[in-house]
Amino acid sequence: MQATIEAVAFDLDGLMFDTEALFFRVACETLEARGSRFTHEMMAAMIGRRAVEAGHVLQTMSGVKAEPEELLADVRGRYLAVLDTDAAPTAGLLTLLDHLEDLDVPKAVATSSRRAHAERLLGGHGILDRFTFILGSEDVKQGKPEPEIYRKAAEGFGVRPECLMVLEDSRAGVAAARAAGAFVVAVPHEHSVAQGLGLADLIVPRLDAPTLLARLGR
C-alpha cells in the first residue's frame, strides 16, 4: 500500500519555471562569443547540479580556455540580465499550488541554486509566501544526485521520507529524491527527456496532470 502524501517538495529551475530553456539560450550566446558551441549533451550533464559542479562540466566539455568560475559567471551574468522578464511559470504550476492548498498539503522548494535565486523567482511571480520553506545549495554539503537536500526537506516538514512527494525535472534530482526514499514525480522537458528519468515513480507531461493530482488524493 502506498504511503499518504503529507508534504511536497518542488525543484525550481526547469520544474517550476522555464529557466532551463533560458539558460540554454544564454549559454549558446556565451560560448559562441568565445569560439565554441553549447550542446544539448552539455546541458544534460549540467542540469540539476550546483554551480560549482556545473561550471567544471561547462569548461571541460566546451574546451574553452578559461577558469570554470569565469566561464559560468559570464553565462550567469547574461542569464540574470533577462531572468525577470523572460522566465515564465511552467504549465500547470499554479493549478497544482491551488490543489495542494485545497488539500492543506504543505509545500517547499529544494533547489540546487542558491536561496536568493529562488526567492527572486518566486517573489517576482507573487508565490513566495505559498511555500513553507526553501532549501538552496548553501543548505547542503552534498548536492544532487546525493539525497541530502530531500532528506532535509522531509525533516523540515517532520514527515517520513516515503510521505514526501518530490517534483523534479532532472536526472540528478530524480536520483537524489529516490535515494532519500521519497515518492518521485518527474516532469520531462526539452532539455531533460523522459528516458533519463526512469527512476521516478511517476512521469507526467505537466504539473497539473490528472495522474499526479490523483496521487495526491481527491
Side-chain angles (χ1 to χ4, degrees):
M1 182 177 178
Q2 290 183 318
T4 300
I5 300 301
E6 299 177 9
V8 176
F10 288 72
D11 177 50
L12 181 72
D13 294 295
L15 186 282
M16 297 176 66
F17 297 93
D18 62 356
T19 49
E20 303 295 16
L22 180 58
F23 183 90
F24 188 87
R25 189 184 88 201
V26 300
C28 286
E29 294 170 358
T30 302
L31 291 194
E32 284 174 9
R34 291 172 177 261
S36 185
R37 187 169 69 91
F38 191 65
T39 67
H40 289 283
E41 289 74 22
M42 293 181 195
M43 186 72 176
M46 295 172 67
I47 193 170
R49 297 182 179 274
R50 296 185 300 175
V52 63
E53 293 120 0
H56 283 284
V57 170
L58 180 61
Q59 192 279 327
T60 300
M61 294 185 72
S62 70
V64 172
K65 296 187 183 303
E67 291 298 317
E69 297 81 4
E70 174 195 338
L71 190 56
L72 193 61
D74 190 353
V75 177
R76 187 165 182 78
R78 295 170 185 257
Y79 172 81
L80 292 176
V82 295
L83 178 65
D84 295 329
T85 55
D86 291 14
T90 54
L93 173 62
L94 299 181
T95 298
L96 178 57
L97 295 182
D98 290 342
H99 186 73
L100 290 169
E101 286 158 16
D102 287 343
L103 296 174
D104 199 26
V105 175
K107 311 171 294 298
V109 174
T111 175
S112 296
S113 297
R114 294 190 67 81
R115 195 182 312 112
H117 172 67
E119 291 173 346
R120 176 175 174 174
L121 267 175
L122 298 170
H125 290 272
I127 59 173
L128 178 59
D129 61 357
R130 300 180 76 167
F131 293 89
T132 304
F133 58 86
I134 296 171
L135 293 174
S137 60
E138 64 266 53
D139 296 309
V140 295
K141 294 180 180 178
Q142 295 182 301
K144 304 170 188 179
E146 297 301 319
E148 183 181 358
I149 197 165
Y150 287 122
R151 287 177 177 162
K152 284 197 169 186
E155 291 170 3
F157 284 122
V159 304
R160 292 176 293 126
E162 61 266 31
C163 296
L164 175 68
M165 176 183 283
V166 170
L167 301 167
E168 268 286 356
D169 71 302
S170 73
R171 183 181 303 180
V174 166
R178 167 62 74 188
F183 182 88
V184 192
V185 179
V187 188
H189 53 74
E190 179 186 3
H191 301 291
S192 184
V193 296
Q195 291 90 324
L197 306 176
L199 289 176
D201 295 290
L202 180 65
I203 298 178
V204 297
R206 48 188 286 156
L207 288 171
D208 59 355
T211 49
L212 191 166
L213 301 183
R215 180 63 184 88
L216 290 164
R218 198 150 61 89

